[in-house]
Amino acid sequence: LGDERADDAGRLRLAPGVLATHMRLDSAAAEAATILPVSGGSKSAGPSPPSSLLEVLGGPCKTPAGGRLVERWLRQPSLDKAELETRYDVVELLRDDTSAREAIQRALGGTGARVPDLAKLSAKLRNGSASLLDLHKLHVVAGRVLPEVAEAVDLASSSEVNAEGAAALRTETQPRLAKAARDLRVFCDMADATLDLDFLPDVLLKASVDEALVDHAASMRTARNAVDDAHEAINDAFANANLGNGKSFSPGAERSKWPVKVDRDKDRGHIFRSIKMYDEKQLAGVTVAGARGGNESIEVISYLKAGVFFTTPSLDRACASYKNSEKAYKAAQKALTAELVKTAATRGDRAESSLGRRTRQ
């Protein structure tokens, strides 16, 4: 069994099948036809050309579900003539109609990153190990990706390039997408009402869900604002010291365009980064206005290819306060999260069955 089922022990379902509708391939036949990659093959540095049908056909798939579906088609080739003709009609349509193909690709995202592995996500929901971030990922699929994919499929289904392919796509895919939208509508409403995305990449419950979360949420926002203030102060200090191209800093401009960036850091919470390298002597001459009044010095953490990383006392205090508030918030929301995951689990399977099989290139 694939790794996607590792978290789903004891919850597998058996479905009836008919062996006569599929070709039976032994390992020797599969190896002779180079259907699957050779195990323990050469591990040369850099990309290597595909050595199997699976790598040729499955490699370009946009989602994990699509890759598994292609592998299943290759491992168990269908003998159903009508099924094969329908599949080939759809493939021919997407090959010939560039606008339809690109519309579906855009809906799924350039690399498929918008669509998580729904099989793994459903397993985590069923065994109760899913996080609020997992619920957010499912919400993105249900609330954003699904409508865009449905719209792209509608466009492809009305294509005049290949009438047979358009009809096959309309028959095979549109009903599944419509069912998925219906099944996930309640989940989307629940996610909209409960998930707080103000602290991304951290996903929390909205403070309005429980009164115990209100004070913790206020403390987190205060600490987050302190991080933003420290970020503005360091950029102002760089501008005054004629570093970072001097006038490139503007308080009203987008923070992403400021010369000094603020990055997430696993240990510290946040850390400053200057893309342009400055030595410690130059940084020592920077006067930073502290949050508590007076001036602060810069502490250099490291010099890496991505830039010079450093911090200030104001940033350290803000990060420590944020960590403490976040820890208290997550402890208070733990029981509520478990209930939310339990409720969402009833929708995860439907998302996987209705949408997962169709999110492929």
Side-chain angles (χ1 to χ4, degrees), residues 3 22 31 51 54 72 80 88 114 169 179 189 191 206 245 296 323 327 335 346-347 359:
D3 291 341
H22 292 82
E31 183 177 348
S51 60
L54 179 59
R72 186 160 66 248
D80 187 324
Y88 295 153
R114 300 180 73 198
L169 187 65
K179 184 178 185 302
D189 292 340
K206 288 183 177 179
N245 296 326
E296 297 180 340
K323 279 186 175 182
K327 183 178 180 180
T346 61
R347 306 291 170 179
T359 51

Side-chain angles (χ1 to χ4, degrees), residues 233-298:
I234 192 65
N235 276 279
D236 186 46
F238 262 56
N240 293 334
N242 293 319
L243 301 181
N245 296 326
K247 297 181 180 180
S248 62
F249 165 68
S250 174
E254 294 181 23
R255 289 180 178 269
S256 61
K257 296 180 180 179
W258 289 359
V260 178
K261 316 298 181 184
V262 59
D263 294 344
R264 297 277 296 190
D265 183 77
K266 181 178 63 175
D267 298 320
R268 293 175 174 267
H270 291 86
I271 193 171
F272 293 135
R273 173 173 58 90
S274 171
I275 299 176
K276 188 173 181 180
M277 292 292 190
Y278 298 103
D279 58 36
E280 294 192 28
K281 183 178 180 180
Q282 290 174 297
L283 295 176
V286 177
T287 301
V288 186
R292 295 180 176 179
N295 296 327
E296 297 180 340
S297 60
I298 292 176

Side-chain angles (χ1 to χ4, degrees), residues 41-317:
S42 61
K43 298 181 180 180
S44 57
S48 57
S51 60
S52 66
L53 283 173
L54 179 59
E55 291 173 313
V56 173
L57 300 177
C61 285
K62 297 297 182 184
T63 66
R68 286 192 291 269
L69 182 59
V70 171
E71 182 174 356
R72 186 160 66 248
W73 283 347
L74 292 175
R75 285 179 178 272
Q76 298 175 321
S78 175
L79 297 176
D80 187 324
K81 184 173 181 291
E83 177 186 345
L84 291 173
E85 288 179 342
T86 297
R87 186 186 305 169
Y88 295 153
D89 285 339
V90 173
V91 171
E92 185 176 12
L93 166 67
L94 297 180
R95 182 199 66 186
D96 296 340
D97 193 329
T98 303
S99 61
R101 181 178 68 251
E102 291 180 348
I104 294 177
Q105 290 175 333
R106 284 194 302 271
L108 292 174
T111 61
R114 300 180 73 198
V115 183
D117 192 326
L118 293 176
K120 284 186 176 181
L121 185 53
S122 295
K124 293 177 71 174
L125 286 170
R126 284 192 294 269
N127 65 28
S129 64
S131 65
L132 292 179
L133 180 58
D134 292 321
L135 297 186
H136 172 56
K137 291 178 180 179
L138 180 58
H139 187 211
V140 170
V141 171
R144 301 179 194 174
V145 179
L146 179 57
E148 292 180 20
V149 170
E151 183 178 353
V153 169
D154 286 342
L155 173 66
S157 298
S158 60
S159 172
E160 298 179 356
V161 175
N162 185 312
E164 292 80 5
L169 187 65
R170 187 163 52 248
T171 302
E172 286 292 307
T173 306
Q174 283 185 323
R176 290 181 178 273
L177 294 175
K179 184 178 185 302
R182 292 193 301 270
D183 290 341
L184 292 169
R185 188 174 297 119
V186 174
F187 169 77
C188 286
D189 292 340
M190 179 184 70
D192 286 332
T194 57
L195 298 184
D196 186 347
L197 307 181
D198 289 346
F199 299 96
L200 284 174
D202 295 320
V203 180
L204 305 173
L205 289 180
K206 288 183 177 179
S208 58
V209 174
D210 192 290
E211 290 184 1
L213 301 176
V214 175
D215 291 340
H216 299 312
S219 298
M220 287 182 65
R221 283 184 168 81
T222 299
R224 183 68 169 266
N225 290 337
V227 171
D228 291 340
D229 291 343
H231 186 205
E232 183 171 339
I234 192 65
N235 276 279
D236 186 46
F238 262 56
N240 293 334
N242 293 319
L243 301 181
N245 296 326
K247 297 181 180 180
S248 62
F249 165 68
S250 174
E254 294 181 23
R255 289 180 178 269
S256 61
K257 296 180 180 179
W258 289 359
V260 178
K261 316 298 181 184
V262 59
D263 294 344
R264 297 277 296 190
D265 183 77
K266 181 178 63 175
D267 298 320
R268 293 175 174 267
H270 291 86
I271 193 171
F272 293 135
R273 173 173 58 90
S274 171
I275 299 176
K276 188 173 181 180
M277 292 292 190
Y278 298 103
D279 58 36
E280 294 192 28
K281 183 178 180 180
Q282 290 174 297
L283 295 176
V286 177
T287 301
V288 186
R292 295 180 176 179
N295 296 327
E296 297 180 340
S297 60
I298 292 176
E299 178 189 352
V300 177
I301 305 301
S302 61
Y303 286 91
L304 299 174
K305 186 177 181 180
V308 54
F309 293 81
F310 57 95
T311 186
T312 63
S314 290
L315 180 63
D316 287 342
R317 286 193 298 270

